Amino acid sequence: MDAVATLIGVGRGGSLSAAAKQQGIAVSTASRRIAGLEAALHLTLLDRRADGVRLTADGARIAALAEPLGDQLAAIERAAAALRAGGGPAVVRVSATESVIGDVLAPALPALWAASPGIGVQLQSQAEVVSLAGRDADLAIRMSRPQGASLLARRLPEQRLGLYASRIWLAGRDPASIDLAASPLLAYDDSFGRLPELAWLDRLGLTHAIALRTGSTRALVTATVAGAGIGLLAPLFIRPEHELVEIPSGGDAPVRTPCLVSHRDVRRVPAVAAVHRWIVATFAATRG
């Protein structure tokens, strides 16, 4: 069964390393499991190349047939975790981006432990989408609503993005007088696909003015605070001590609505429910 779970993990994660990470094993162990499964089935399941591995057609077929079994095993693990949580301290795993983990959730931990002493939390900094069905995490914060009948999603306060500059960069200038087309803009790159905010800048005719592109929210905030230019930021990550000033854009800025996602099987586990309430309250406190 371990080998089958590893094969499913390769199919879901796209690599042996992703499957190994999901199962908490070494890549070499994952490779040996797949090799043993190939020997037992007399099939080649992986296409091993210099740049990594991928499922063969046979491997993809076997992985697809094994998916329901993998989900059933994951359901058993979640049920066991729920039973264990009723008898003692629990560790609730929360997956989110580095900025949400470091700048939103970590500073709010005292409030969690004041309300729910004894709860352990594992804050997992992950940019990629994790599988709650596969027990990669108990709760996940995502910037888009997930698909899946077994998943429950709670909308968190929407974030209307805006253009911000530091007082250092403004140097006494009126924010309304700034020529955006002639100013260095700091924005996301396309690491996460074609984001709405990038399309928005394109519609405003400002793409040519982007001086910094990055997949790191923290880098955007830090560069903006340092006076490198005008950052396209969500209010969620702006603090009063940053002393940033919003720059009029002359157009409706895009809105992002984060979601707090959980799996039906663990949503009512007391520890998970407590962390769920804490996250909702933390995001509500950052509104505006």
mmCIF file of all heavy atoms in Angstrom, residues 54-92:
data_model
loop_
_atom_site.group_PDB
_atom_site.id
_atom_site.type_symbol
_atom_site.label_atom_id
_atom_site.label_comp_id
_atom_site.label_asym_id
_atom_site.label_seq_id
_atom_site.Cartn_x
_atom_site.Cartn_y
_atom_site.Cartn_z
ATOM 1 N N ARG A 54 8.388 11.347 -14.658
ATOM 2 C CA ARG A 54 6.965 11.564 -14.897
ATOM 3 C C ARG A 54 6.318 10.195 -15.084
ATOM 4 O O ARG A 54 6.995 9.216 -15.400
ATOM 5 C CB ARG A 54 6.749 12.452 -16.106
ATOM 6 C CG ARG A 54 7.162 11.843 -17.426
ATOM 7 C CD ARG A 54 7.128 12.869 -18.551
ATOM 8 N NE ARG A 54 8.123 13.910 -18.334
ATOM 9 C CZ ARG A 54 8.256 14.971 -19.122
ATOM 10 N NH1 ARG A 54 7.441 15.142 -20.151
ATOM 11 N NH2 ARG A 54 9.172 15.879 -18.878
ATOM 12 N N LEU A 55 5.032 10.134 -14.876
ATOM 13 C CA LEU A 55 4.319 8.881 -15.044
ATOM 14 C C LEU A 55 4.261 8.487 -16.515
ATOM 15 O O LEU A 55 4.040 9.331 -17.381
ATOM 16 C CB LEU A 55 2.895 8.998 -14.494
ATOM 17 C CG LEU A 55 2.732 9.207 -12.986
ATOM 18 C CD1 LEU A 55 1.252 9.301 -12.636
ATOM 19 C CD2 LEU A 55 3.386 8.083 -12.204
ATOM 20 N N THR A 56 4.463 7.207 -16.774
ATOM 21 C CA THR A 56 4.217 6.693 -18.118
ATOM 22 C C THR A 56 2.705 6.567 -18.301
ATOM 23 O O THR A 56 1.926 6.782 -17.371
ATOM 24 C CB THR A 56 4.873 5.312 -18.296
ATOM 25 O OG1 THR A 56 4.266 4.401 -17.371
ATOM 26 C CG2 THR A 56 6.371 5.385 -18.039
ATOM 27 N N ALA A 57 2.296 6.181 -19.498
ATOM 28 C CA ALA A 57 0.865 5.970 -19.729
ATOM 29 C C ALA A 57 0.334 4.874 -18.811
ATOM 30 O O ALA A 57 -0.763 4.995 -18.240
ATOM 31 C CB ALA A 57 0.626 5.609 -21.199
ATOM 32 N N ASP A 58 1.119 3.799 -18.640
ATOM 33 C CA ASP A 58 0.711 2.736 -17.722
ATOM 34 C C ASP A 58 0.673 3.244 -16.283
ATOM 35 O O ASP A 58 -0.237 2.915 -15.517
ATOM 36 C CB ASP A 58 1.678 1.548 -17.818
ATOM 37 C CG ASP A 58 1.556 0.799 -19.143
ATOM 38 O OD1 ASP A 58 0.500 0.932 -19.798
ATOM 39 O OD2 ASP A 58 2.516 0.097 -19.515
ATOM 40 N N GLY A 59 1.676 4.040 -15.925
ATOM 41 C CA GLY A 59 1.716 4.585 -14.566
ATOM 42 C C GLY A 59 0.536 5.486 -14.281
ATOM 43 O O GLY A 59 -0.052 5.439 -13.194
ATOM 44 N N ALA A 60 0.170 6.318 -15.267
ATOM 45 C CA ALA A 60 -0.969 7.217 -15.087
ATOM 46 C C ALA A 60 -2.260 6.420 -14.938
ATOM 47 O O ALA A 60 -3.138 6.781 -14.133
ATOM 48 C CB ALA A 60 -1.073 8.175 -16.276
ATOM 49 N N ARG A 61 -2.383 5.312 -15.688
ATOM 50 C CA ARG A 61 -3.589 4.479 -15.605
ATOM 51 C C ARG A 61 -3.691 3.811 -14.234
ATOM 52 O O ARG A 61 -4.754 3.813 -13.605
ATOM 53 C CB ARG A 61 -3.534 3.426 -16.711
ATOM 54 C CG ARG A 61 -4.661 2.394 -16.681
ATOM 55 C CD ARG A 61 -6.013 3.041 -16.865
ATOM 56 N NE ARG A 61 -7.064 2.050 -16.960
ATOM 57 C CZ ARG A 61 -8.355 2.301 -16.750
ATOM 58 N NH1 ARG A 61 -8.740 3.518 -16.431
ATOM 59 N NH2 ARG A 61 -9.254 1.351 -16.870
ATOM 60 N N ILE A 62 -2.580 3.253 -13.749
ATOM 61 C CA ILE A 62 -2.587 2.601 -12.436
ATOM 62 C C ILE A 62 -2.855 3.624 -11.335
ATOM 63 O O ILE A 62 -3.618 3.369 -10.393
ATOM 64 C CB ILE A 62 -1.252 1.883 -12.182
ATOM 65 C CG1 ILE A 62 -1.052 0.752 -13.201
ATOM 66 C CG2 ILE A 62 -1.192 1.327 -10.764
ATOM 67 C CD1 ILE A 62 -2.109 -0.317 -13.145
ATOM 68 N N ALA A 63 -2.236 4.808 -11.451
ATOM 69 C CA ALA A 63 -2.450 5.845 -10.437
ATOM 70 C C ALA A 63 -3.901 6.286 -10.404
ATOM 71 O O ALA A 63 -4.471 6.510 -9.332
ATOM 72 C CB ALA A 63 -1.532 7.044 -10.711
ATOM 73 N N ALA A 64 -4.526 6.397 -11.582
ATOM 74 C CA ALA A 64 -5.934 6.801 -11.647
ATOM 75 C C ALA A 64 -6.828 5.746 -10.997
ATOM 76 O O ALA A 64 -7.779 6.072 -10.266
ATOM 77 C CB ALA A 64 -6.356 7.037 -13.092
ATOM 78 N N LEU A 65 -6.522 4.464 -11.241
ATOM 79 C CA LEU A 65 -7.306 3.391 -10.630
ATOM 80 C C LEU A 65 -7.120 3.361 -9.105
ATOM 81 O O LEU A 65 -8.031 2.984 -8.372
ATOM 82 C CB LEU A 65 -6.886 2.040 -11.225
ATOM 83 C CG LEU A 65 -7.299 1.778 -12.676
ATOM 84 C CD1 LEU A 65 -6.650 0.501 -13.189
ATOM 85 C CD2 LEU A 65 -8.818 1.692 -12.786
ATOM 86 N N ALA A 66 -5.933 3.776 -8.648
ATOM 87 C CA ALA A 66 -5.630 3.725 -7.216
ATOM 88 C C ALA A 66 -6.137 4.948 -6.451
ATOM 89 O O ALA A 66 -6.170 4.928 -5.220
ATOM 90 C CB ALA A 66 -4.119 3.590 -7.016
ATOM 91 N N GLU A 67 -6.521 6.008 -7.170
ATOM 92 C CA GLU A 67 -6.951 7.247 -6.508
ATOM 93 C C GLU A 67 -8.050 7.020 -5.463
ATOM 94 O O GLU A 67 -7.949 7.507 -4.339
ATOM 95 C CB GLU A 67 -7.420 8.270 -7.544
ATOM 96 C CG GLU A 67 -6.300 9.009 -8.248
ATOM 97 C CD GLU A 67 -5.780 10.189 -7.446
ATOM 98 O OE1 GLU A 67 -6.325 10.447 -6.366
ATOM 99 O OE2 GLU A 67 -4.844 10.829 -7.901
ATOM 100 N N PRO A 68 -9.142 6.299 -5.793
ATOM 101 C CA PRO A 68 -10.183 6.101 -4.769
ATOM 102 C C PRO A 68 -9.660 5.404 -3.521
ATOM 103 O O PRO A 68 -10.046 5.739 -2.400
ATOM 104 C CB PRO A 68 -11.222 5.235 -5.505
ATOM 105 C CG PRO A 68 -11.002 5.527 -6.951
ATOM 106 C CD PRO A 68 -9.525 5.711 -7.084
ATOM 107 N N LEU A 69 -8.753 4.430 -3.732
ATOM 108 C CA LEU A 69 -8.165 3.737 -2.591
ATOM 109 C C LEU A 69 -7.333 4.699 -1.753
ATOM 110 O O LEU A 69 -7.386 4.681 -0.518
ATOM 111 C CB LEU A 69 -7.295 2.579 -3.083
ATOM 112 C CG LEU A 69 -6.525 1.794 -2.012
ATOM 113 C CD1 LEU A 69 -7.483 1.179 -1.007
ATOM 114 C CD2 LEU A 69 -5.661 0.721 -2.668
ATOM 115 N N GLY A 70 -6.576 5.561 -2.428
ATOM 116 C CA GLY A 70 -5.777 6.544 -1.705
ATOM 117 C C GLY A 70 -6.642 7.483 -0.891
ATOM 118 O O GLY A 70 -6.315 7.827 0.248
ATOM 119 N N ASP A 71 -7.766 7.913 -1.465
ATOM 120 C CA ASP A 71 -8.677 8.797 -0.734
ATOM 121 C C ASP A 71 -9.278 8.095 0.474
ATOM 122 O O ASP A 71 -9.467 8.707 1.533
ATOM 123 C CB ASP A 71 -9.792 9.287 -1.661
ATOM 124 C CG ASP A 71 -9.288 10.251 -2.728
ATOM 125 O OD1 ASP A 71 -8.189 10.813 -2.529
ATOM 126 O OD2 ASP A 71 -9.975 10.438 -3.732
ATOM 127 N N GLN A 72 -9.586 6.795 0.325
ATOM 128 C CA GLN A 72 -10.143 6.044 1.452
ATOM 129 C C GLN A 72 -9.122 5.905 2.580
ATOM 130 O O GLN A 72 -9.456 6.042 3.758
ATOM 131 C CB GLN A 72 -10.605 4.666 0.978
ATOM 132 C CG GLN A 72 -11.843 4.707 0.085
ATOM 133 C CD GLN A 72 -12.170 3.355 -0.513
ATOM 134 O OE1 GLN A 72 -11.503 2.370 -0.231
ATOM 135 N NE2 GLN A 72 -13.201 3.320 -1.357
ATOM 136 N N LEU A 73 -7.864 5.643 2.200
ATOM 137 C CA LEU A 73 -6.826 5.545 3.221
ATOM 138 C C LEU A 73 -6.621 6.886 3.929
ATOM 139 O O LEU A 73 -6.426 6.942 5.143
ATOM 140 C CB LEU A 73 -5.508 5.096 2.574
ATOM 141 C CG LEU A 73 -5.471 3.652 2.056
ATOM 142 C CD1 LEU A 73 -4.168 3.387 1.314
ATOM 143 C CD2 LEU A 73 -5.619 2.668 3.219
ATOM 144 N N ALA A 74 -6.684 7.974 3.155
ATOM 145 C CA ALA A 74 -6.547 9.304 3.754
ATOM 146 C C ALA A 74 -7.703 9.591 4.703
ATOM 147 O O ALA A 74 -7.523 10.205 5.764
ATOM 148 C CB ALA A 74 -6.478 10.375 2.669
ATOM 149 N N ALA A 75 -8.915 9.129 4.330
ATOM 150 C CA ALA A 75 -10.071 9.321 5.203
ATOM 151 C C ALA A 75 -9.893 8.570 6.519
ATOM 152 O O ALA A 75 -10.270 9.064 7.590
ATOM 153 C CB ALA A 75 -11.338 8.852 4.491
ATOM 154 N N ILE A 76 -9.322 7.377 6.441
ATOM 155 C CA ILE A 76 -9.048 6.607 7.660
ATOM 156 C C ILE A 76 -8.044 7.351 8.538
ATOM 157 O O ILE A 76 -8.202 7.439 9.766
ATOM 158 C CB ILE A 76 -8.529 5.205 7.295
ATOM 159 C CG1 ILE A 76 -9.647 4.386 6.634
ATOM 160 C CG2 ILE A 76 -8.009 4.472 8.536
ATOM 161 C CD1 ILE A 76 -9.177 3.060 6.073
ATOM 162 N N GLU A 77 -7.006 7.908 7.923
ATOM 163 C CA GLU A 77 -6.005 8.658 8.680
ATOM 164 C C GLU A 77 -6.624 9.883 9.339
ATOM 165 O O GLU A 77 -6.309 10.219 10.487
ATOM 166 C CB GLU A 77 -4.860 9.075 7.761
ATOM 167 C CG GLU A 77 -4.020 7.905 7.268
ATOM 168 C CD GLU A 77 -2.910 8.370 6.348
ATOM 169 O OE1 GLU A 77 -2.743 9.602 6.202
ATOM 170 O OE2 GLU A 77 -2.203 7.510 5.786
ATOM 171 N N ARG A 78 -7.517 10.581 8.609
ATOM 172 C CA ARG A 78 -8.159 11.759 9.193
ATOM 173 C C ARG A 78 -9.068 11.369 10.350
ATOM 174 O O ARG A 78 -9.112 12.053 11.378
ATOM 175 C CB ARG A 78 -8.962 12.503 8.116
ATOM 176 C CG ARG A 78 -8.104 13.208 7.089
ATOM 177 C CD ARG A 78 -8.945 14.156 6.239
ATOM 178 N NE ARG A 78 -9.955 13.448 5.479
ATOM 179 C CZ ARG A 78 -9.768 12.963 4.254
ATOM 180 N NH1 ARG A 78 -8.603 13.106 3.666
ATOM 181 N NH2 ARG A 78 -10.743 12.341 3.623
ATOM 182 N N ALA A 79 -9.801 10.265 10.190
ATOM 183 C CA ALA A 79 -10.674 9.809 11.267
ATOM 184 C C ALA A 79 -9.854 9.430 12.500
ATOM 185 O O ALA A 79 -10.226 9.746 13.634
ATOM 186 C CB ALA A 79 -11.501 8.618 10.795
ATOM 187 N N ALA A 80 -8.714 8.764 12.277
ATOM 188 C CA ALA A 80 -7.854 8.396 13.396
ATOM 189 C C ALA A 80 -7.305 9.640 14.086
ATOM 190 O O ALA A 80 -7.222 9.709 15.318
ATOM 191 C CB ALA A 80 -6.710 7.511 12.900
ATOM 192 N N ALA A 81 -6.932 10.649 13.286
ATOM 193 C CA ALA A 81 -6.421 11.894 13.863
ATOM 194 C C ALA A 81 -7.501 12.581 14.699
ATOM 195 O O ALA A 81 -7.224 13.141 15.764
ATOM 196 C CB ALA A 81 -5.936 12.830 12.756
ATOM 197 N N ALA A 82 -8.737 12.530 14.207
ATOM 198 C CA ALA A 82 -9.846 13.133 14.944
ATOM 199 C C ALA A 82 -10.060 12.419 16.270
ATOM 200 O O ALA A 82 -10.310 13.047 17.306
ATOM 201 C CB ALA A 82 -11.123 13.088 14.110
ATOM 202 N N LEU A 83 -9.966 11.091 16.268
ATOM 203 C CA LEU A 83 -10.132 10.327 17.506
ATOM 204 C C LEU A 83 -9.001 10.626 18.489
ATOM 205 O O LEU A 83 -9.222 10.778 19.696
ATOM 206 C CB LEU A 83 -10.184 8.826 17.196
ATOM 207 C CG LEU A 83 -11.424 8.353 16.419
ATOM 208 C CD1 LEU A 83 -11.252 6.905 15.990
ATOM 209 C CD2 LEU A 83 -12.674 8.513 17.286
ATOM 210 N N ARG A 84 -7.770 10.722 17.951
ATOM 211 C CA ARG A 84 -6.642 11.029 18.825
ATOM 212 C C ARG A 84 -6.764 12.429 19.406
ATOM 213 O O ARG A 84 -6.404 12.673 20.556
ATOM 214 C CB ARG A 84 -5.330 10.918 18.045
ATOM 215 C CG ARG A 84 -4.947 9.489 17.685
ATOM 216 C CD ARG A 84 -3.502 9.432 17.221
ATOM 217 N NE ARG A 84 -3.282 10.245 16.037
ATOM 218 C CZ ARG A 84 -3.375 9.780 14.785
ATOM 219 N NH1 ARG A 84 -3.728 8.525 14.581
ATOM 220 N NH2 ARG A 84 -3.142 10.565 13.758
ATOM 221 N N ALA A 85 -7.271 13.359 18.606
ATOM 222 C CA ALA A 85 -7.374 14.754 19.064
ATOM 223 C C ALA A 85 -8.305 14.884 20.250
ATOM 224 O O ALA A 85 -8.165 15.783 21.074
ATOM 225 C CB ALA A 85 -7.859 15.648 17.922
ATOM 226 N N GLY A 86 -9.265 13.970 20.386
ATOM 227 C CA GLY A 86 -10.193 14.039 21.513
ATOM 228 C C GLY A 86 -9.562 13.632 22.814
ATOM 229 O O GLY A 86 -10.117 13.869 23.883
ATOM 230 N N GLY A 87 -8.386 13.017 22.755
ATOM 231 C CA GLY A 87 -7.796 12.522 23.988
ATOM 232 C C GLY A 87 -6.578 13.278 24.452
ATOM 233 O O GLY A 87 -5.941 12.879 25.420
ATOM 234 N N GLY A 88 -6.189 14.321 23.806
ATOM 235 C CA GLY A 88 -5.001 15.036 24.245
ATOM 236 C C GLY A 88 -4.681 16.196 23.333
ATOM 237 O O GLY A 88 -5.442 16.515 22.424
ATOM 238 N N PRO A 89 -3.530 16.847 23.547
ATOM 239 C CA PRO A 89 -3.135 17.991 22.724
ATOM 240 C C PRO A 89 -3.028 17.589 21.261
ATOM 241 O O PRO A 89 -2.665 16.468 20.926
ATOM 242 C CB PRO A 89 -1.765 18.388 23.303
ATOM 243 C CG PRO A 89 -1.755 17.804 24.679
ATOM 244 C CD PRO A 89 -2.561 16.546 24.599
ATOM 245 N N ALA A 90 -3.368 18.511 20.363
ATOM 246 C CA ALA A 90 -3.328 18.242 18.933
ATOM 247 C C ALA A 90 -2.428 19.258 18.249
ATOM 248 O O ALA A 90 -2.223 20.363 18.736
ATOM 249 C CB ALA A 90 -4.737 18.313 18.345
ATOM 250 N N VAL A 91 -1.880 18.859 17.122
ATOM 251 C CA VAL A 91 -1.116 19.777 16.281
ATOM 252 C C VAL A 91 -1.913 19.989 15.002
ATOM 253 O O VAL A 91 -2.184 19.039 14.267
ATOM 254 C CB VAL A 91 0.279 19.208 15.952
ATOM 255 C CG1 VAL A 91 0.999 20.128 14.965
ATOM 256 C CG2 VAL A 91 1.103 19.045 17.219
ATOM 257 N N VAL A 92 -2.307 21.204 14.755
ATOM 258 C CA VAL A 92 -3.103 21.545 13.586
ATOM 259 C C VAL A 92 -2.170 22.180 12.560
ATOM 260 O O VAL A 92 -1.488 23.167 12.849
ATOM 261 C CB VAL A 92 -4.243 22.520 13.943
ATOM 262 C CG1 VAL A 92 -5.049 22.872 12.700
ATOM 263 C CG2 VAL A 92 -5.131 21.909 15.009
#
